[in-house]
Amino acid sequence: MVRRVTIKKKEWFTDDIFGLEIYLPDIDPQPGQFFQVRVSTTYDPFLNRPISVASYKGGTMLMIIRVLGRGTKILSQKEAGEDLRVLGPFGKGLRVKKKKSLLIAGGIGVAPLLFLAQKMHGKRIEFDFVYGAKREKDLIKKSHILQIAKHAIFVTEQDRGKMTVLGALDMLDVESYDIAYACGPKTMLIELQKLNLPIPVYAFCEDFLGCGCGLCLGCAIMYKGEYKRICEDGPVFELKGISFDE
Amino acid sequence: MVRRVTIKKKEWFTDDIFGLEIYLPDIDPQPGQFFQVRVSTTYDPFLNRPISVASYKGGTMLMIIRVLGRGTKILSQKEAGEDLRVLGPFGKGLRVKKKKSLLIAGGIGVAPLLFLAQKMHGKRIEFDFVYGAKREKDLIKKSHILQIAKHAIFVTEQDRGKMTVLGALDMLDVESYDIAYACGPKTMLIELQKLNLPIPVYAFCEDFLGCGCGLCLGCAIMYKGEYKRICEDGPVFELKGISFDE
Amino acid sequence: MMKLFGITFKNRVFIASGVFGFGLKYKKVSNRVGAIFTKGITLEPRKGNAPPRVFETASGLINWVGLENPGVEKFCKDILPKMKKLRTRIFVNVAGSEVIDYERIVERIGGQVDGFELNISCPNVKKGGVAFGQDPKIAASVVARARTKTKLPLIVKLTPNFCDPLRIAKVCIGAGADGISLINTLYGMVYDIERKKPLITGGLSGPAIKPFALYCVNRLRGLGVPIIGMGGIMTGQDAYEFLLAGASAVAIGSAILRDPYAPLQIIKELKKYPPPPSSPSERGRIKEGEKKEYK
Amino acid sequence: MMKLFGITFKNRVFIASGVFGFGLKYKKVSNRVGAIFTKGITLEPRKGNAPPRVFETASGLINWVGLENPGVEKFCKDILPKMKKLRTRIFVNVAGSEVIDYERIVERIGGQVDGFELNISCPNVKKGGVAFGQDPKIAASVVARARTKTKLPLIVKLTPNFCDPLRIAKVCIGAGADGISLINTLYGMVYDIERKKPLITGGLSGPAIKPFALYCVNRLRGLGVPIIGMGGIMTGQDAYEFLLAGASAVAIGSAILRDPYAPLQIIKELKKYPPPPSSPSERGRIKEGEKKEYK
Ligand SMILES: Cc1cc2nc3c(=O)[nH]c(=O)nc-3n(C[C@H](O)[C@H](O)[C@H](O)COP(=O)(O)OP(=O)(O)OC[C@H]3O[C@@H](n4cnc5c(N)ncnc54)[C@H](O)[C@@H]3O)c2cc1C
Ligand SMILES: Cc1cc2nc3c(=O)[nH]c(=O)nc-3n(C[C@H](O)[C@H](O)[C@H](O)COP(=O)(O)OP(=O)(O)OC[C@H]3O[C@@H](n4cnc5c(N)ncnc54)[C@H](O)[C@@H]3O)c2cc1C
Ligand SMILES: Cc1cc2nc3c(=O)[nH]c(=O)nc-3n(C[C@H](O)[C@H](O)[C@H](O)COP(=O)(O)O)c2cc1C
Ligand SMILES: Cc1cc2nc3c(=O)[nH]c(=O)nc-3n(C[C@H](O)[C@H](O)[C@H](O)COP(=O)(O)O)c2cc1C
Ligand code: FES
Ligand code: FES
């Protein structure tokens, strides 16, 4: 059912990343879950846009959105007080495990991991956070991450000797973690897969969706030899099971 | 060329009629002329909406718009400070004649006649103004009209014994005028035509347009035996020449 | 409540094939629509096409799903038992890469459902699909052969792509079809301007195609069999336009991608309109008396 | 600068028939596009269809203008002299209600323009129009007969409605067409739900049909003659997609209804893209040497 909610707060984190806060008291979203956000009440753009839960506390949900194309552009023009139509939460929620965890975020991939971090922090699970972006100013919520992660590493391709997130992993003793969670551009996930880390890595997949709720089969990802639906069977999959090229 | 302007002021006159003020210093619009207003930067709705110049003074133009369908609905959600894209002015401007005039407005048809009245007032041409609407509260700009018209008659179908604009004409000595200008719903113009008034009546035609500037031939009106373009050959036509049923 | 093919339906709002899976997720919706058309079922399981499978276009979308489905066996064993518990009419969308596939699938499913929709109009498969629906001879033979395997309502789903659906409809009715559904998606393509090759080639659906779909439905009115009209229906008003144009019922497709509850809203909105002028074709070729044959 | 049919064009952005009159109002635009295709010209004057003639649909519009035009005589006398002063290529869109009309119009206009576009695809006329373009025999005969009257580039404008444009293109090329333009509008219809009858039946255009148009263009690539691609082009990126799909030039239609200066913006945006892979078909059947024949 489409919910019509009011935007409580809008905040620009960088020149192309903004946050929208809405109040949705009757849900219990889990990390990895997302909402389908209606861009327009007219038919162009037609499809809703999937946006992850980046934070949820006392009924207030935060979505962090990067302006990519025309849908997110239109969303970025919405202001506090205006209406927003959302459907969800969708996706299999991730059950947070009491394991020493490594969170790996690239770019706007930080959004769902922030929520995962929030949950882990709530359950006093220890985790480190590696977070990379193009430019220093693209790194959002740094102080918040520093507060809740045990260790946090921030890297940018521009500033510190063109370090990428994956480069940063070299500096870590990856085997000291029980599990890793990664979210970022597809290219990052592909490179990460190639690293073949010795621990289970769970990837949060961000792609273009149709319905977002398992009906249209429009969001296929080749996982362990068969097509899975990103929206309904994921969006979190074990990284090594994914075939990115099919 | 599409002009991108900022909405200087927005005002609600009634629950479904609002005004938008924009600053367009480099034009000299004439009564009857209109602008094509872009509803959406996306492709739905696709076409621009024709809106008359309702007032123009010192570079500031007022458009008065009634919410009819989805296009005007979307326009009604725009606020001061937001952008508006307009093309124009289009249409043959009316050359105001120094004749004793009767202005006949039905509903939102008042918009272009207000501009005509403004021009006449500026040129000290004497005119009376008959203005009807469904309900008392739908009558806008009453005090302004009272100020500039020699006499003004306001009628509503609801309040004063269901008087229509045309009914009100009975109370007037129509022959005492040299010329009349009318704008209102098509049904009103058809009825007015049947009255066969003894003076020339010029009708401001409001219809759905395509391009609005004479290119697409999408706005035909049968006038004196041939199709004319409302947008380019009008929108003002002598009432008796129009065949409404073709 | 209304009657088509001699059987009753809760209402005239159906769910189009391919946008609602098997109706098992949003049961509240399934139980309140007139009928559900399943995702296309093939003889063998199909894993579907490689992504990207959907691409948004102006007021619509292109899909290139490619009939991903578990195949008729698994459908009968695992899915149908669950679907039977839904309180709605179930029509199986039957897709084949060979002419013979259709009759086999119809035969395998037998009397377990309320009817069949022969999909000879899918643009997203290499073999069969729309190619069958563009050729009057093949179309007729698909229908005629399936007809021998069932007495249930047999609807044939037509394509408007590069062929005249009226011509195909006539031969299909001649071959024994009880009803027509249309339109399946239009051909559509988007180019990848970076890589200079097509990004997606598939079926175009949504409000963009509504005026064309309505034209097609109107063109096929009066053939004496019920039409299930579809193509871009988003509101009760859209649905009513299709009914006025000659459809006896409508199917909701892409609207569901924006909102899985869209059919309920459309049912509600449609109630505001007076019943459409009923046509004698509504019962189609199936007589009142034969009704008991269908559960 | 580019060359098609052995003649040069300022650029690959043309103006489609019917949306710019005769290019005399916005001369700044006319003088900067590669070519202008006139409003459809018929043998006799036509007053066009009764309103409503345009109706907005989702991301597009339906038009039912009905080829309102002054007829070929008046066109030659009053309009052509003015058009000749434009600094662009002029193609006359030729429409007929009889097969013979086309050759007559072509003959009457003679060598005064840069070429002809045979419109056998207009859905808004009772006689001729799209019906000619759906029938390979008639299509071929229209082209063959017009061919006898001119050595100028002869483009044939195809319909994608209920027929395969590839099939029609082949016979038209066989009959002597130098190029293909497509797509003309799709069939479209809107119902008037108050009065329970069609509000408008006409041709659907605009971004809504772009993916389908692109598919059609891509389908016709490689036939050895240039394609003028059109259908929903709004931006330079859209135009570039058509070039990648196989068009040698594009024509702008409905975009002009939103903004008469749209072609200039599109020309500007198109400059950002690398030149499309040029195809040997660009020159079409007309050889370099013959060029002087065309002004
Ligand atoms: C589960 C999930 C969670 C997400 N969470 C977030 C989040 O929290 N924050 C966030 O910012 N983003 C998130 N995303 C990504 C976000 O949904 C997209 O960035 C957004 O939908 C883009 O919309 P747009 O209209 O701005 O871009 P569009 O204009 O739709 O697309 C931009 C570009 O991509 C191309 N493109 C579009 N569709 C396709 C396609 N199907 N295949 C290939 N190319 C295509 C277009 O050609 C265009 O050039 C998430 C995605 C998923 C699946
Ligand atoms: C020269 C001119 C000047 C105008 N000046 C003003 C003005 O100053 N102020 C003002 O408020 N209005 C003015 N109008 C009218 C205004 O342009 C329309 O009210 C507006 O375009 C409606 O847009 P919409 O999107 O709200 O309605 P839409 O949603 O487009 O249409 C509303 C209803 O009309 C029906 N409809 C739409 N198109 C057609 C069609 N082509 N034929 C028949 N029925 C159709 C639709 O089905 C719908 O039910 C003017 C019109 C013209 C031509
Ligand atoms: C994602 C998607 C999947 C589809 N799958 C099928 C299918 O399996 N079988 C079929 O006959 N039609 C299929 N269709 C076509 C629809 O049933 C419908 O005919 C078409 O989309 C037009 O209706 P719409 O514009 O309301 O979507 C599919 C459409 C979409 C959008
Ligand atoms: C208002 C209007 C009038 C048109 N008139 C003609 C015409 O006279 N002759 C013709 O061949 N095509 C005509 N067309 C079709 C266009 O030339 C073009 O083929 C079609 O609109 C698709 O392009 P578009 O989507 O960019 O508009 C007309 C289109 C519109 C919108
Ligand atoms: S987007 Fe429809 S099934 Fe995933
Ligand atoms: S609206 Fe295009 S000519 Fe008048």
Side-chain angles (χ1 to χ4, degrees), chain B residues 1-2 36 38 40-49 70 87 90 208-211 213-222 227 232 246, chain D residues 18-21 25-26 39 47-51 53-54 56-61 65 68 207 234-235 238 254-261:
Chain B
M1 197 74 79
V2 180
Q36 284 283 80
R38 179 71 51 89
S40 174
T41 53
T42 77
Y43 301 140
D44 185 45
F46 186 72
L47 297 169
N48 306 318
R49 299 301 194 259
R70 48 192 215 126
L87 297 90
F90 293 134
F208 298 91
L209 303 186
C211 64
C213 52
L215 302 171
C216 73
L217 308 182
C219 59
I221 185 167
M222 186 53 84
Y227 281 128
E232 179 89 354
E246 276 175 81
Chain D
V19 295
F20 214 54
K25 180 158 182 195
Y26 292 91
K39 176 72 199 166
K47 68 181 173 72
N49 293 333
R53 288 182 174 187
V54 294
E56 184 182 70
T57 66
S59 293
L61 69 137
V65 171
E68 173 177 336
M234 300 295 291
T235 65
D238 293 338
S254 304
I256 286 177
L257 273 67
R258 258 168 81 113
D259 179 6
Y261 290 87

Side-chain angles (χ1 to χ4, degrees), chain D residues 17 40 60 102 115 135 144 210 212 221 247 252 260 266 268 278 287:
Chain D
S17 175
Y102 294 86
D135 183 321
K210 196 197 99 184
F212 181 58
R221 68 186 306 157
I252 313 304
I266 292 169
K268 198 170 130 196
S278 86
K287 309 279 146 23

Side-chain angles (χ1 to χ4, degrees), chain B residues 74-136:
Chain B
I74 293 170
L75 288 176
S76 77
Q77 285 153 359
K78 303 224 185 253
E79 299 296 339
E82 290 184 38
D83 274 355
L84 195 70
R85 278 156 222 246
V86 301
L87 297 90
F90 293 134
K92 275 210 305 226
L94 199 69
R95 251 184 286 152
V96 179
K97 294 184 186 129
K98 283 223 179 251
K99 288 181 170 176
K100 193 180 173 211
S101 306
L102 176 63
L103 276 55
I104 307 167
I108 189 64
V110 76
L113 294 185
L114 282 173
F115 186 40
L116 177 63
Q118 187 187 44
K119 283 277 180 187
M120 289 181 148
H121 185 65
K123 297 190 178 176
R124 292 168 200 277
I125 301 170
E126 210 173 80
F127 65 92
D128 290 349
F129 205 120
V130 182
Y131 175 18
K134 282 241 163 58
R135 305 160 304 174
E136 178 67 31

Side-chain angles (χ1 to χ4, degrees), chain C residues 229-243:
Chain C
M230 71 195 85
I233 296 173
M234 299 295 291
T235 64
Q237 174 166 342
D238 294 337
Y240 194 59
E241 280 190 77
F242 276 81
L243 297 179

Side-chain angles (χ1 to χ4, degrees), chain B residues 49-50 52 64-66 69-72 108 206-208, chain D residues 54-55:
Chain B
R49 299 301 194 259
S52 307
I64 300 179
I65 306 175
R66 202 190 121 211
R70 48 192 215 126
T72 46
I108 189 64
E206 304 208 333
D207 212 326
F208 298 91
Chain D
V54 294
F55 198 97

Side-chain angles (χ1 to χ4, degrees), chain C residues 57-59 62 160-165 186-194 196-198 201-202 204 207-216 218-219 221 237 240-242 244-246 273-277, chain D residues 57-59 62 160-165 186-194 196-198 201-202 204 207-216 218-219 221 237 240-242 244-246 273-277:
Chain C
T57 66
S59 293
I62 292 177
N161 283 311
F162 300 169
C163 66
D164 184 352
L186 265 177
Y187 287 128
M189 189 173 212
V190 172
Y191 253 80
D192 184 333
I193 51 163
E194 315 273 278
K196 301 199 183 355
K197 56 177 201 180
T201 309
L204 180 63
I209 68 168
K210 196 196 98 183
F212 181 58
L214 200 61
Y215 182 95
C216 293
N218 187 69
R219 183 171 168 82
R221 68 187 305 159
Q237 174 166 342
Y240 194 59
E241 280 190 77
F242 276 81
L244 290 173
Y273 297 96
Chain D
T57 66
S59 293
I62 292 177
N161 283 312
F162 298 169
C163 67
D164 184 353
L186 265 177
Y187 287 128
M189 190 172 210
V190 172
Y191 253 81
D192 183 333
I193 52 165
E194 314 273 277
K196 300 198 182 0
K197 57 176 200 180
T201 309
L204 180 64
I209 67 168
K210 196 197 99 184
F212 181 58
L214 200 61
Y215 182 94
C216 292
N218 187 69
R219 182 172 169 81
R221 68 186 306 157
Q237 174 166 342
Y240 194 59
E241 280 190 77
F242 276 81
L244 290 172
Y273 297 97

Side-chain angles (χ1 to χ4, degrees), chain D residues 1 5 23 60 73 89 108 158 209 223 233 252 267 278 292:
Chain D
M1 204 72 130
F5 317 113
E73 270 319 312
R89 296 287 177 186
R108 173 66 186 89
L158 301 184
I209 67 168
L223 290 181
I233 296 173
I252 313 304
I267 290 169
S278 86
K292 33 195 149 3

